[in-house]
Amino acid sequence: MWLKPEEVLLKNALKLWVTQKSSCYFVLQRRRGHGEGGGRLTGRLVGALDAVLDSSARVAPFRILLQVPGSQVYSPIACGATLEEINRHWDWLEQNLLHTLSVFDNKDDIASFVKGKVKALIAEETSSRLAEQEEEPEKFREALVKFEARFNFPEAEKLVTYYSCCCWKGRVPRQGWLYLSINHLCFYSFFLGKELKLVIPWVDIQKLERTSNVFLTDTIRITTQNKERDFSTFLNLDEVFKIMEQLADVTLRRLLDNEVFDLDPNLQEPSQITKRDLEARAQNEFFRAFFRLPREEKLHAVADCSLWTPFSRCHTAGRIFSSDSYICFASREDGCCNVVLPLREVVSIEKMEDTSLLPNPIIVSIRSKMAFQFIELKDRENLVEGLLLRLKQVHANHPVHYDSSPSDDDMASPVFYSTSICTDKFEDLEMVSSQSSEEREKEKRPLPHPEPLTAVFQQSGSQSPDSRLSREQIKISLWNDHFVEYGRTVCMFRTEKIRKLVAMGIPESLRGRLWLLFSDAVTDLASHPGYYGNLVEQSLGRCCLVTEEIERDLHRSLPEHPAFQNETGIAALRRVLTAYAHRNPKIGYCQSMNILTSVLLLYAKEEEAFWLLVAVCERMLPDYFNHRVIGAQVDQSVFEELIKEHLPELAEHMSDLSALASISLSWFLTLFLSIMPLESAVNVVDCFFYDGIKAIFQLGLAVLEANAEELCGSKDDGQALMVLSRFLDHIKNEDSPGPPIGSHHAFFSDDQEPYPVTDIADLIRDSYEKFGNQSVEQIEHLRCKHRIRVLQGHEDTTKQNVLRVVIPEVSILPEDLEELYDLFKRAHMMSCYWENHRPMALRHDPSRPYAEQYRIDARQFAHLFQLVSPWTCGVHTDILAERIFRLLDDNMDQLIEFKAFISCLDIMYNGEMNEKIKLLYRLHIPPALTENDRDSQSPLKNPLLSTSRPLVLGKPNGDTIDYQKQLKQMIKDLAKEKDKTEKELPKMSQREFIQFCKTLYSMFHEDPEENDLYQAIATVTTLLLQIGEVGQRGSSSGSCSQECEELQASAPPEQDSVFAEAGKSPQAFPETEGDWTVSLEHILASLLTEQSLVNFFEKPLNIKSKLENAKLNQYSLKVLEMSHQPLTELKLSDL
């Protein structure tokens, strides 16, 4: 165990201890007398002393000391009762600390660093022990208080767990605490008087990996857009990395991939996520992937046990898994023996007598007269109790009846009465269909095709009939022998022997049925009698975009096969695809589903083909068939890593493996059906239904290895594509009873020169022998790792597409636009973090156009406006932000996009004066200014100015300026420059004008030229008020006043008319102001008369300083708004 470091002198202590190992900084010692047979006198005395002491005072026989070179003071940091225990501590120090200490120059720094690290390890060990005993240990509560105080997040930011570790800053490690919360990874360190805080949102992480550096052999590296951070010296790095992976995966899929992501029920609410939940989720996902079970299946219990395997006449060690609807077993040795027992098939679960030979046994009996014996179950009582409860529930939901009539074959098992028995010459396999339910309603709905299409459209091959039948009969005989020994239902023992039979190719007559068993689609089929018929009835005849896409692709599905050259096959394909689109509208229909479904229809009945399609799309190839094919892209990324691992020479030659990934995408989407002759590709599908996606990975590697030499010699991607296409097109199946059918993409065939033929059986055998060592756990880990990269790749694509549209339309620099996009997206994300009650329209929707995927509401816009806008108006800023938001919200859905936000910001920073004034003008008329505007109620009920005041103003130095001629000329010039096609803005009423003036006054606050600006705006306001009064009097009297006539006397009519027209526009708010109005041209011309105002609106503005400040304070502003109290500044890491 680790010890709290305390200084000791070793001058006399060396007589009691013997040094076993030593390094530059650490010493491992053994107590004299411990482990010595005879021993010397000193050892005997020390041993006798230790023996007479009571247990609490005895000294551990092994210890590790920290020694600083040149110092006589040592500090014990660990002790152990056994050599193995103390060696574990020594190894940890060597791997995690020894190389790190060399970077320190000061001896005191070394001692402080090691002591701090050991104290942190002690605290972590204590908290781990407490966490095992109670749900909320005291140590966790203390860590939570520190987390909240150090990072000041809102209450909604829940801490999941915390660890002691080092964060590397260059070559210097900073010892501190790593906090993992539901949305962020945070690190805090206060070391040698320096404080360090890092806050990294999970959605910013682009890569999470284990790596090593020059000082440490094992670190966790977190890569974001701009930086890499290394974390090391964890007590249990494996545990930390798994928790990080889970949190990153859950958060990214929740926030970036909610198109198809269905979280576990206990993780749907982020605030409920705990460390235990994450560990359970990881185990649950492995369980579902390993046995390829439905997504909604929840794991309840896992226990070590042994299963009696009659074929080997012994018990096989492994683990039993119990879930909602299944009992599963996996042997400890990978591939030795797996069993899947749907609870629908289970008749009874019984405890047997406990004996020395059969400790804690239970017997699980299934309806096909088989029994499975499990022994060595530690918690047998609770396990059996849970199993019986779920068994009762499953049978209540799906009543089971048995057929007691005699069977033609002793090997056939009873079947459910709720379904009909499928009888033909291969009755050995028990299958289920809902044909009876369809017969009852066959006059109401289209009747599904009753048998596989190959049974109707028999093809004669090039081989003689005798040869074809003999090969099929040999395979059938082998399978029947296997069924006798290993079982014939979905509950069969799945061993290496059955894998070899599958690799040889399943007999055509058994293929569809075995696909149903291996995928467990047979359970779905039996559990949903009549379901498919109802879907067909509901979906056929409906016309929508999906059905149009299906119709377009129907005649492109295996057109060379006779089954799809007539309406029988086409109609069956239409019904299955349309029914599935109706069942799962999130997926609907995707290209490549037609190819897969047409092959399923060749070997399975129509309803069986439907459930096989359900199994493939919803659990065997998750997230493959949707808007963004995320699952396929993730597997392409995994495939690239496998190429680097298994074919390094090829990976080195083809530096950009994305080309190979794009070529191989169809391999994964269509399971090689579209690029390989059909009679060969169905063997690949056999392996896929037995081994899952692992079979496609290893076959893809085998194909690349077979062509590695030619691929290394290829000059470009096109040549590589030709090499692979020719190879795949010449893969033959010598055992196929039917004639060869070419692939859809066999357009590189060269008839001038014979190309060597490869037998599919040999290729599959090579794939298992050379690349079959990938486990499901490894593949799932790689998928989790690469899903982060793929999702972030989509985010980068979205960002680049949005910027590509925006950049030509604004004057803001591209690099500044990128930072503004990040701020805009972060504003959206912070709302998702802590405001779960917000409307769903705010959520990220990848199916929308790029520019509309991220949108913000009025409150988020107000935060951004305060951070990046140059028009800061003090307390008036929020009011101005509200008006701008209403102006930009064209469709009034309370959300705006990035493009609208940037176009407004671009005018503020880079617009000409007239553009800025026009924007301000529009902010003070409807729809930006409303009757309910919180600052629009004017207390003034009477005219502001007397009409007797002249348009001649005095200056402080005694001079006077007559603005009359100047204004008239400016208005005339503006009228000439005005675009005639531009829609004229309505005139501004007196109340709107008052708000306009208040905004201008607020904008000038704290400006260096504040006094001059106030004086200038006072002058301009006076002029505009008089212009409005002139129009008001003209409107009320029907003719111009005396003053208006005097003004007109010295000016041409076309210049003077602008004053008279002021009263002719309908007002926005017809209140006591009457017809008082001014136009945009009036305001702009008046402002142009004051040079200080011109300088203010035309001075260059620097957006970079605003952006730097925004990046530092965006979180602080959000937290302040949510907490409504002052807080210390929380700086977001610029990762």
Side-chain angles (χ1 to χ4, degrees):
M1 60 181 293
W2 299 103
L3 300 175
K4 185 177 180 181
E6 296 179 357
E7 296 182 350
V8 295
L9 292 173
L10 296 189
K11 185 175 181 180
N12 298 318
L14 292 175
K15 297 178 181 178
L16 302 177
W17 297 88
V18 179
T19 299
Q20 297 279 96
K21 297 180 183 178
S22 64
S23 64
C24 300
Y25 305 101
F26 303 107
V27 179
L28 190 155
Q29 294 183 334
R30 173 180 55 82
R31 187 79 165 172
R32 284 188 184 275
H34 180 80
E36 296 178 357
R40 298 181 181 178
L41 178 61
T42 308
R44 292 182 180 181
L45 290 175
V46 174
L49 177 65
D50 291 342
V52 297
L53 293 175
D54 62 359
S55 59
S56 61
R58 288 177 185 170
V59 179
F62 298 98
R63 70 177 183 179
I64 298 176
L65 304 174
L66 167 67
Q67 64 166 12
V68 180
S71 173
Q72 295 297 315
V73 179
Y74 289 67
S75 301
I77 58 174
C79 66
T82 64
L83 184 60
E84 291 79 7
E85 180 185 359
I86 203 67
N87 276 334
R88 283 198 301 270
H89 288 71
W90 181 266
D91 293 341
W92 190 92
L93 291 169
E94 281 192 329
Q95 294 173 9
N96 293 280
L97 283 187
L98 194 57
H99 300 292
T100 307
L101 301 180
S102 59
V103 304
F104 292 100
D105 297 327
N106 191 321
K107 298 176 182 178
D108 294 336
D109 292 348
I110 294 175
S112 299
F113 178 78
V114 174
K115 290 177 181 179
K117 183 62 189 174
V118 171
K119 289 178 182 177
L121 291 174
I122 294 171
E124 189 173 337
E125 280 187 335
T126 304
S127 64
S128 298
R129 288 195 298 270
L130 287 171
E132 293 175 359
Q133 298 171 4
E134 53 185 292
E135 289 293 329
E136 294 185 0
E138 193 65 33
K139 290 292 182 182
F140 185 85
R141 285 195 288 269
E142 291 178 11
L144 180 60
V145 170
K146 292 180 180 178
F147 170 72
E148 292 173 345
R150 289 167 176 171
F151 298 98
N152 212 356
F153 284 122
E155 291 183 5
E157 188 67 19
K158 180 179 178 182
L159 178 66
V160 176
T161 187
Y162 65 100
Y163 299 97
S164 166
C165 69
C166 286
C167 176
W168 289 78
K169 195 172 182 180
R171 298 179 58 188
V172 179
R174 299 292 299 269
Q175 170 64 34
W177 290 92
L178 182 71
Y179 298 92
L180 306 181
S181 66
I182 56 176
N183 297 303
H184 298 86
L185 178 150
C186 306
F187 178 79
Y188 178 84
S189 171
F190 188 84
F191 184 63
L192 301 178
K194 294 182 179 179
E195 185 180 54
L196 173 66
K197 286 185 185 180
L198 293 178
V199 178
I200 308 174
W202 292 114
V203 292
D204 287 356
I205 293 177
Q206 296 183 337
K207 190 184 294 184
L208 180 63
E209 58 187 340
R210 293 177 65 166
T211 182
S212 59
N213 58 27
V214 294
F215 304 109
L216 294 173
T217 57
D218 210 357
T219 64
I220 296 177
R221 174 166 295 171
I222 293 172
T223 305
T224 56
Q225 186 175 359
N226 301 317
K227 284 190 179 180
E228 291 181 347
R229 292 284 187 186
D230 288 342
F231 297 89
S232 63
T233 62
F234 293 96
L235 184 64
N236 187 341
L237 189 136
D238 290 334
E239 175 194 312
V240 178
F241 187 71
K242 287 179 181 178
I243 294 294
M244 280 187 175
E245 266 194 335
Q246 284 291 310
L247 270 173
D249 185 57
V250 167
T251 307
L252 262 70
R253 296 176 74 178
R254 172 167 55 89
L255 297 176
L256 303 183
D257 193 29
N258 58 306
E259 176 189 16
V260 293
F261 181 44
D262 297 320
L263 282 167
D264 294 337
N266 58 337
L267 295 182
Q268 286 181 353
E269 178 60 44
S271 61
Q272 302 302 316
I273 294 176
T274 65
K275 179 181 175 184
R276 187 172 297 177
D277 289 331
L278 291 171
E279 292 170 345
R281 179 179 183 271
Q283 193 173 43
N284 211 7
E285 287 194 338
F286 166 75
F287 163 70
R288 290 196 300 259
F290 188 86
F291 296 104
R292 297 185 292 284
L293 300 179
R295 276 187 174 184
E296 60 273 12
E297 199 66 23
K298 183 179 178 182
L299 183 64
H300 292 285
V302 182
D304 291 332
C305 68
S306 294
L307 170 68
W308 174 254
T309 49
F311 54 88
S312 60
R313 301 189 180 280
C314 66
H315 284 90
T316 300
R319 290 191 297 172
I320 186 173
F321 300 82
S322 168
S323 68
D324 292 334
S325 308
Y326 291 87
I327 301 172
C328 302
F329 174 83
S331 61
R332 193 169 298 165
E333 182 182 346
D334 188 32
C336 176
C337 177
N338 297 328
V339 175
V340 176
L341 306 177
L343 289 181
R344 272 189 63 91
E345 301 285 317
V346 175
V347 175
S348 64
I349 301 172
E350 302 172 295
K351 292 181 288 186
M352 292 178 59
E353 183 181 355
D354 186 8
T355 66
S356 58
L357 293 178
L358 299 175
N360 296 327
I362 67 171
I363 295 291
V364 178
S365 302
I366 63 173
R367 63 187 182 87
S368 56
K369 300 178 182 178
M370 287 181 65
F372 295 84
Q373 182 190 76
F374 298 90
I375 64 171
E376 299 175 344
L377 290 159
K378 293 183 179 178
D379 192 10
R380 181 176 66 163
E381 300 297 327
N382 290 333
L383 178 65
V384 171
E385 183 180 353
L387 286 173
L388 289 173
L389 184 65
R390 288 187 288 278
L391 178 64
K392 182 179 179 181
Q393 186 174 1
V394 167
H395 283 195
N397 294 336
H398 303 282
V400 179
H401 304 282
Y402 301 109
D403 187 358
S404 57
S405 59
S407 173
D408 295 335
D409 190 335
D410 292 340
M411 293 301 167
S413 55
V415 295
F416 295 114
Y417 264 122
S418 59
T419 60
S420 64
I421 307 174
C422 300
T423 56
D424 56 32
K425 64 177 67 178
F426 299 110
E427 181 61 37
D428 291 342
L429 287 180
E430 173 198 348
M431 307 309 304
V432 185
S433 75
S434 56
Q435 186 178 352
S436 60
S437 63
E438 292 163 5
E439 288 174 354
R440 288 192 300 267
E441 301 182 15
K442 62 183 177 181
E443 297 192 4
K444 298 182 182 179
R445 63 182 69 165
L447 185 64
H449 200 264
E451 52 188 334
L453 294 178
T454 49
V456 179
F457 300 93
Q458 293 288 349
Q459 295 178 282
S460 57
S462 57
Q463 304 172 4
S464 65
D466 293 340
S467 171
R468 182 172 72 249
L469 289 174
S470 62
R471 295 193 182 204
E472 277 285 284
Q473 289 298 335
I474 291 173
K475 285 186 178 181
I476 292 170
S477 176
L478 289 173
W479 277 98
N480 281 330
D481 291 344
H482 185 273
F483 296 146
V484 171
E485 189 171 6
Y486 294 87
R488 65 184 62 257
T489 69
V490 68
C491 305
M492 67 175 68
F493 291 98
R494 308 184 188 202
T495 65
E496 191 64 33
K497 183 177 178 181
I498 198 171
R499 179 177 282 120
K500 292 178 180 178
L501 286 174
V502 171
M504 292 168 56
I506 298 175
E508 300 244 325
S509 54
L510 302 181
R511 177 165 278 135
R513 298 183 169 192
L514 285 172
W515 287 355
L516 281 166
L517 293 182
F518 293 154
S519 64
D520 195 36
V522 63
T523 300
D524 290 334
L525 179 65
S527 302
H528 300 84
Y531 177 83
Y532 174 68
N534 291 330
L535 278 182
V536 170
E537 183 181 13
Q538 295 168 15
S539 60
L540 281 184
R542 295 192 177 187
C543 185
C544 59
L545 182 62
V546 171
T547 56
E548 291 176 4
E549 293 177 355
I550 290 173
E551 289 297 328
R552 280 199 302 268
D553 286 346
L554 286 177
H555 295 279
R556 306 174 188 170
S557 310
L558 297 187
E560 65 280 357
H561 197 287
F564 298 99
Q565 294 171 358
N566 65 80
E567 187 55 29
T568 302
I570 295 294
L573 181 59
R574 178 187 293 111
R575 287 193 294 268
V576 173
L577 291 175
T578 309
Y580 184 78
H582 190 71
R583 164 190 165 87
N584 192 343
K586 284 187 176 180
I587 292 178
Y589 170 75
C590 294
Q591 286 193 355
S592 77
M593 286 174 64
N594 60 319
I595 307 260
L596 176 61
T597 307
S598 58
V599 174
L600 298 179
L601 284 167
L602 290 178
Y603 298 99
K605 298 177 183 180
E606 186 176 320
E607 186 176 8
E608 295 170 351
F610 169 79
W611 287 111
L612 284 170
L613 182 64
V614 170
V616 172
C617 294
E618 297 179 13
R619 60 177 188 258
M620 299 190 73
L621 294 178
D623 301 346
Y624 262 59
F625 304 98
N626 55 47
H627 177 66
R628 299 190 296 174
V629 291
I630 292 291
Q633 293 185 55
V634 169
D635 282 349
Q636 291 303 293
S637 189
V638 172
F639 190 51
E640 288 182 32
E641 182 162 333
L642 293 177
I643 293 172
K644 294 176 183 177
E645 178 184 346
H646 295 281
L647 304 172
E649 294 182 2
L650 178 61
E652 184 178 352
H653 173 76
M654 302 189 73
S655 55
D656 184 12
L657 290 175
S658 60
L660 280 181
S662 62
I663 293 172
S664 62
L665 180 61
S666 61
W667 303 358
F668 288 82
L669 283 173
T670 66
L671 308 178
F672 285 90
L673 289 169
S674 64
I675 43 84
M676 193 184 286
L678 179 62
E679 69 274 8
S680 303
V682 290
N683 283 31
V684 179
V685 180
D686 294 342
C687 298
F688 168 76
F689 275 115
Y690 184 77
D691 269 323
I693 195 63
K694 170 186 171 181
I696 307 301
F697 279 124
Q698 63 193 33
L699 188 67
L701 291 172
V703 168
L704 293 180
E705 188 207 34
N707 295 274
E709 186 175 345
E710 288 188 72
L711 289 173
C712 288
S714 61
K715 299 178 181 179
D716 53 38
D717 297 345
Q719 189 175 352
L721 174 61
M722 183 178 293
V723 168
L724 291 172
S725 297
R726 290 186 63 185
F727 175 82
L728 291 166
D729 190 46
H730 287 81
I731 294 178
K732 304 301 178 185
N733 186 355
E734 301 296 337
D735 295 338
S736 174
I741 299 177
S743 68
H744 298 287
H745 293 251
F747 32 69
F748 289 111
S749 299
D750 188 355
D751 297 329
Q752 299 177 356
E753 179 180 336
Y755 192 84
V757 172
T758 304
D759 185 49
I760 185 63
D762 295 336
L763 187 64
I764 290 176
R765 184 177 60 252
D766 287 347
S767 74
Y768 275 105
E769 291 177 355
K770 297 177 180 178
F771 308 108
N773 58 350
Q774 293 292 331
S775 67
V776 173
E777 190 172 11
Q778 289 172 319
I779 290 175
E780 288 304 304
H781 166 70
L782 289 174
R783 278 177 162 178
C784 186
K785 171 184 173 181
H786 287 278
R787 188 179 294 111
I788 296 174
R789 189 185 73 82
V790 169
L791 288 175
Q792 293 292 10
H794 278 274
E795 290 300 295
D796 289 341
T797 301
T798 300
K799 178 178 178 179
Q800 296 307 319
N801 279 281
V802 172
L803 294 179
R804 187 173 66 249
V805 172
V806 172
I807 286 175
E809 299 184 10
V810 298
S811 301
I812 300 176
L813 295 175
E815 57 267 26
D816 294 335
L817 275 176
E818 284 197 40
E819 294 192 11
L820 284 167
Y821 180 89
D822 293 338
L823 291 170
F824 188 89
K825 177 181 172 181
R826 190 173 295 142
H828 167 91
M829 286 299 175
M830 285 192 294
S831 176
C832 296
Y833 295 159
W834 304 316
E835 300 177 27
N836 294 329
H837 61 281
R838 307 298 287 169
M840 287 302 294
L842 292 181
R843 293 184 63 82
H844 172 52
D845 186 357
S847 64
R848 297 179 68 91
Y850 289 119
E852 300 177 14
Q853 289 189 15
Y854 289 108
R855 298 179 292 171
I856 58 175
D857 63 11
R859 184 157 49 175
Q860 297 158 8
F861 176 81
H863 295 157
L864 271 183
F865 183 82
Q866 184 175 345
L867 287 169
V868 300
S869 170
W871 291 358
T872 52
C873 308
V875 294
H876 196 69
T877 303
D878 287 344
I879 297 171
L880 188 62
E882 287 179 13
R883 294 172 184 168
I884 294 177
F885 184 85
R886 284 196 291 266
L887 180 66
L888 298 178
D889 184 18
D890 293 333
N891 57 2
M892 302 182 70
D893 64 350
Q894 305 303 314
L895 297 168
I896 64 169
E897 304 161 8
F898 178 71
K899 184 178 179 181
F901 169 71
I902 287 300
S903 62
C904 177
L905 203 63
D906 185 54
I907 293 175
M908 296 180 189
Y909 276 100
N910 302 309
E912 296 180 356
M913 180 178 176
N914 62 329
E915 295 176 317
K916 295 178 181 178
I917 299 304
K918 182 178 180 181
L919 176 60
L920 282 170
Y921 185 90
R922 294 180 65 195
L923 294 177
H924 296 85
I925 59 175
L929 187 70
T930 64
E931 291 189 29
N932 297 323
D933 193 290
R934 52 177 165 154
D935 197 39
S936 68
Q937 300 302 319
S938 173
L940 300 173
K941 302 299 181 183
N942 298 315
L944 295 178
L945 295 175
S946 169
T947 57
S948 62
R949 185 173 298 175
L951 288 176
V952 178
L953 300 178
K955 304 293 286 185
N957 58 6
D959 298 335
T960 60
I961 298 179
D962 185 356
Y963 287 97
Q964 176 185 338
K965 295 181 180 180
Q966 191 174 353
L967 280 172
K968 291 175 181 176
Q969 185 61 41
M970 287 182 177
I971 292 172
K972 183 179 179 181
D973 294 341
L974 288 169
K976 286 181 180 180
E977 295 175 4
K978 185 176 180 181
D979 185 5
K980 298 301 181 184
T981 62
E982 184 180 353
K983 185 179 179 181
E984 185 175 354
L985 293 173
K987 289 184 170 59
M988 184 179 283
S989 69
Q990 188 179 95
R991 182 171 60 177
E992 294 163 355
F993 177 69
I994 292 171
Q995 297 304 316
F996 180 83
C997 294
K998 287 178 68 175
T999 300
L1000 289 178
Y1001 272 95
S1002 301
M1003 289 173 63
F1004 301 151
H1005 183 58
E1006 295 184 356
D1007 189 274
E1009 305 295 330
E1010 183 177 359
N1011 292 332
D1012 292 342
L1013 290 169
Y1014 283 156
Q1015 186 175 357
I1017 196 60
T1019 302
V1020 170
T1021 303
T1022 302
L1023 291 174
L1024 290 169
L1025 286 169
Q1026 291 191 12
I1027 292 172
E1029 287 183 6
V1030 170
Q1032 183 182 25
R1033 290 207 310 274
S1035 174
S1036 61
S1037 63
S1039 62
C1040 294
S1041 66
Q1042 180 66 31
E1043 289 170 298
C1044 186
E1045 292 173 359
E1046 293 173 358
L1047 285 171
Q1048 292 176 351
S1050 58
E1054 63 269 20
Q1055 293 179 341
D1056 299 330
S1057 62
V1058 73
F1059 292 96
E1061 289 171 358
K1064 296 180 181 178
S1065 174
Q1067 57 196 48
F1069 299 102
E1071 292 185 5
T1072 57
E1073 297 95 341
D1075 296 325
W1076 190 102
T1077 57
V1078 291
S1079 67
L1080 172 62
E1081 290 77 12
H1082 292 149
I1083 292 175
L1084 184 55
S1086 301
L1087 292 172
L1088 289 171
T1089 62
E1090 292 292 337
Q1091 189 60 43
S1092 58
L1093 294 175
V1094 174
N1095 293 340
F1096 175 83
F1097 283 107
E1098 291 190 346
K1099 66 182 178 183
L1101 299 172
N1102 182 16
I1103 195 174
K1104 293 189 182 296
S1105 58
K1106 282 279 188 180
L1107 292 176
E1108 290 300 320
N1109 179 68
K1111 286 192 292 184
L1112 294 175
N1113 296 304
Q1114 190 175 17
Y1115 267 52
S1116 301
L1117 189 64
K1118 181 67 176 179
V1119 174
L1120 178 62
E1121 184 262 335
M1122 296 192 69
S1123 61
H1124 301 289
Q1125 61 184 13
L1127 48 86
T1128 57
E1129 185 180 273
L1130 171 66
K1131 296 184 178 180
L1132 181 70
S1133 169
D1134 58 342
L1135 294 174

